[in-house]
């Protein structure tokens, strides 16, 4: 009986020791999986955002304030600038060509915007700059652009403390005669031609009816929000 008790004790001791090792191994495995998942998520989100940033030029107009008259003026300035420069921008065949055109046209763009402000009887200053700036996630009709740093033409009216308006200058998706809330079919074609298939799947809400692109967009969104 004594030998049986000793045997049982040894078995229990060995099992307890192995159980501890098993738990440690499981915990280590979980940590490895989580670390791998985080690394893969970061790489994927960074790849998509940087891919978009490398191909897109955005247009950012900031109103003087959130007062109704300032917000209306912002939209009139937007319309006037696109009316004058829209066709010339449409002729740009690459992001680099678009940025060069905007760089060389900043003074003229500022003059056009200032003229519109003054035409309406305001004395607000206008500044125009070509910048790299961080955008939060933005929805443009049925398209969703992840948060991140993008090249942008930035027009600031007055104190520039009001809600902003934005769209995409390259590939051209800004139209004076559009509803502004919905990109045209031509806009989708331009964007699809400029992006990789994977980038377009993430951005296009039409394609996000499929579960995988929708999950991929959420992965990019969550990572960008966590790191911003």
């Amino acid at each position: 009986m004594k030998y049986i008790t000793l045997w049982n004790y040894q078995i229990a001791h060995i099992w307890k020791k192995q159980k501890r090792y098993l738990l440690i191994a499981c915990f280590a495995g979980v940590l490895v999986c989580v670390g791998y998942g985080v690394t893969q998520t970061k790489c994927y989100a960074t790849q998509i955002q940087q891919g978009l940033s490398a191909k897109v030029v955005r247009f950012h107009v900031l109103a003087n304030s959130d007062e109704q008259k300032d917000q209306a003026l912002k939209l009139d300035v937007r319309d006037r600038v696109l009316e004058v420069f829209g066709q010339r921008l449409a002729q740009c065949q690459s992001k680099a060509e678009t940025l060069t055109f905007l760089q060389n046209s900043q003074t003229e763009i500022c003059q056009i915007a200032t003229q519109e402000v003054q035409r309406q009887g305001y004395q607000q200053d206008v500044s125009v700059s070509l910048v790299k700036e961080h955008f939060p996630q933005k929805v443009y009709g049925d398209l969703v652009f992840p948060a991140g740093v993008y090249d942008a033409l930035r027009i600031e009216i007055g104190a520039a403390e009001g809600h902003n308006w934005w769209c995409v200058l390259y590939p051209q998706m800004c139209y004076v005669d559009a509803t502004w809330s919905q990109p045209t079919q031509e806009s989708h074609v331009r964007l699809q031609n400029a992006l990789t298939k994977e980038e377009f799947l993430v951005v296009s809400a039409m394609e996000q009816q499929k579960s995988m692109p929708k999950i991929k967009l959420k992965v990019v969104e969550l990572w960008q929000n966590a790191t911003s």
Side-chain angles (χ1 to χ4, degrees), residues 142-144 185 188 192 196-217:
D142 53 7
L143 300 173
V144 182
Q185 183 59 38
H188 282 90
Q192 189 169 10
T196 66
K197 182 178 179 180
E198 185 76 4
E199 290 161 356
F200 185 74
L201 285 175
V202 172
V203 169
S204 173
M206 292 189 303
E207 295 293 338
Q208 288 162 25
Q209 299 305 316
K210 303 173 185 176
S211 61
M212 185 55 65
K214 195 169 185 178
I215 291 170
K216 288 178 177 179
L217 172 70

Side-chain angles (χ1 to χ4, degrees), residues 27-84:
F27 182 69
V30 170
L31 289 179
V32 169
C33 290
V34 170
Y36 179 77
V38 169
T39 300
Q40 291 299 103
T41 298
K42 176 184 177 181
C43 289
Y44 182 78
T46 300
Q47 176 188 350
I48 292 297
Q49 198 285 314
Q50 289 182 349
L52 290 171
S53 180
K55 301 177 182 74
V56 168
V57 179
R58 298 171 76 160
F59 185 24
H60 198 191
V61 185
L62 291 87
N64 177 60
S65 74
D66 282 335
E67 291 187 26
Q68 186 175 355
K69 59 184 179 66
D70 284 334
Q71 289 294 311
L73 178 62
K74 172 192 71 178
L75 299 182
D76 289 338
V77 169
R78 168 204 73 185
D79 287 353
R80 181 58 182 153
V81 169
L82 291 175
E83 181 183 1
V84 173

Side-chain angles (χ1 to χ4, degrees), residues 9 50 65 123-124 127 133 142 160 175 186 191:
Y9 172 79
Q50 289 182 349
S65 74
Q123 299 301 317
Q124 298 169 4
S127 68
E133 64 176 315
D142 53 7
Y175 295 88
E186 184 180 355
L191 187 64

Side-chain angles (χ1 to χ4, degrees), residues 107-121:
T107 299
E108 188 180 358
I109 293 171
C110 188
Q111 289 173 346
I112 295 298
T114 301
Q115 287 171 6
E116 180 61 29
V117 170
Q118 293 176 347
R119 186 187 70 80
Q120 297 198 29

